[in-house]
Amino acid sequence: MPNFQTATVIKNEVLAAKFHDLVLQTETPFSFLPGQFVSIKINETKMNAYSVAGKLNDKQFGLLIDTEPGGLGSQYIDKLKPGDKVEFMGPLGHMTLKLDDGATNLYFMSTGCGIAPLKAMIEAALVEYKTDKQLTLYLGLRHCNDVFWDQYFNDLQNRFTNFHFKLVLSKPEGAWCGVAGHITDLAKVEVKDPANSSVYICGSVRMADEAIKVFEEMGT
Ligand SMILES: Cc1cc2nc3c(=O)[nH]c(=O)nc-3n(C[C@H](O)[C@H](O)[C@H](O)COP(=O)(O)OP(=O)(O)OC[C@H]3O[C@@H](n4cnc5c(N)ncnc54)[C@H](O)[C@@H]3O)c2cc1C
């Protein structure tokens, strides 16, 4: 029998487009390694993986869920409201933050909801472990209406001089005065000292393939 835990929905707020900020509260303290995910029971035959986006307190954690795919999991998440109970397994997964790997620069490449596990890693590195390594987050979204957490990461950038945030839109509309294009193109010209860098990648398969190629060619 799978070992399910029960959590209560504290918040289910749409941040932008179909990106949901879902906060769950567990019955007993919940601990995870930054980068891990939980597997939520959608129905008797379907479980969906969602990365932990951050810790609010010992019993509360956040998920960032894009319901754009529109499948059964997306429909389930769309309907959740405060007070609802969800069953989940976890934390699970091995893509975790490794601050002791010798790298002096950490690059985080994300598109869409791929930002979720990287946010948890960045928060842990800066706030919990107080790292003095250079951390750079690239976040790729499509449209102006998709933008979320930009204020949060800009504030984090102001608070920590070793954290740098780059938001890039691939299909911006007229009023956008930020960077347009693909995060991999920007990283290609901006990455410093690639041989002493580590890169964490999460998002679309296309971006991930391109990011691996770009960083490998630079010698990371
Ligand atoms: C380790 C792991 C961590 C994950 N973390 C997150 C997370 O933090 N936030 C999050 O929103 N999702 C995350 N996902 C994806 C999530 O588990 C679901 O696969 C996704 O939300 C679609 O679920 P669904 O039930 O709505 O669609 P499904 O019924 O599974 O699929 C419906 C349709 O959408 C397509 N589809 C499936 N997944 C995607 C996708 N990601 N983008 C576009 N189309 C898709 C399918 O091909 C299908 O046509 C993660 C997946 C894994 C494996």
Side-chain angles (χ1 to χ4, degrees), residues 33-37 91-98 121 200:
L33 296 173
Q36 287 191 300
F37 63 91
L92 305 163
H94 302 288
M95 190 192 83
T96 55
L97 180 68
K98 293 176 180 64
M121 290 182 186
Y200 295 83

Side-chain angles (χ1 to χ4, degrees), residues 34-192:
Q36 287 191 300
F37 63 91
V38 292
S39 192
I40 291 190
K41 183 175 172 183
I42 305 301
N43 61 32
E44 289 310 317
T45 57
K46 186 171 169 71
M47 306 276 298
N48 269 11
Y50 298 111
S51 302
V52 179
K55 174 179 173 169
L56 284 88
N57 60 45
D58 279 356
K59 290 187 180 172
Q60 290 186 2
F61 62 94
L63 302 175
L64 172 75
I65 302 182
D66 181 10
T67 60
E68 178 65 31
L72 286 177
S74 299
Q75 293 166 38
Y76 173 84
I77 299 295
D78 272 334
K79 288 188 195 130
L80 285 177
K81 52 187 191 315
D84 286 350
K85 303 285 183 197
V86 302
E87 286 187 90
F88 74 97
M89 289 170 67
L92 305 163
H94 302 288
M95 190 192 83
T96 55
L97 180 68
K98 293 176 180 64
L99 281 178
D100 58 357
D101 67 355
T104 48
N105 309 300
L106 305 189
Y107 289 95
F108 298 87
M109 304 293 290
S110 63
T111 51
C113 58
I115 183 67
L118 307 191
K119 174 175 172 283
M121 290 182 186
I122 290 165
E123 288 172 350
L126 294 172
V127 180
E128 203 174 321
Y129 303 123
K130 300 183 176 22
T131 186
D132 56 4
K133 293 170 190 271
Q134 294 295 317
L135 272 52
T136 306
L137 168 64
Y138 289 90
L139 171 59
L141 296 168
R142 287 203 187 97
H143 308 286
C144 295
N145 289 344
D146 294 337
V147 175
F148 60 92
W149 285 351
D150 55 326
Q151 189 60 51
Y152 173 77
F153 287 116
N154 280 323
D155 288 348
L156 207 62
Q157 182 172 241
N158 292 334
R159 207 173 130 204
F160 295 93
T161 52
N162 60 328
F163 174 64
H164 316 282
F165 172 53
K166 317 280 176 152
L167 174 64
V168 180
L169 297 190
S170 60
K171 295 178 181 166
E173 293 78 26
W176 175 245
C177 48
V179 184
H182 289 142
I183 56 170
T184 42
D185 292 330
L186 192 61
K188 212 183 286 183
V189 293
E190 287 190 346
V191 166
K192 295 188 193 98

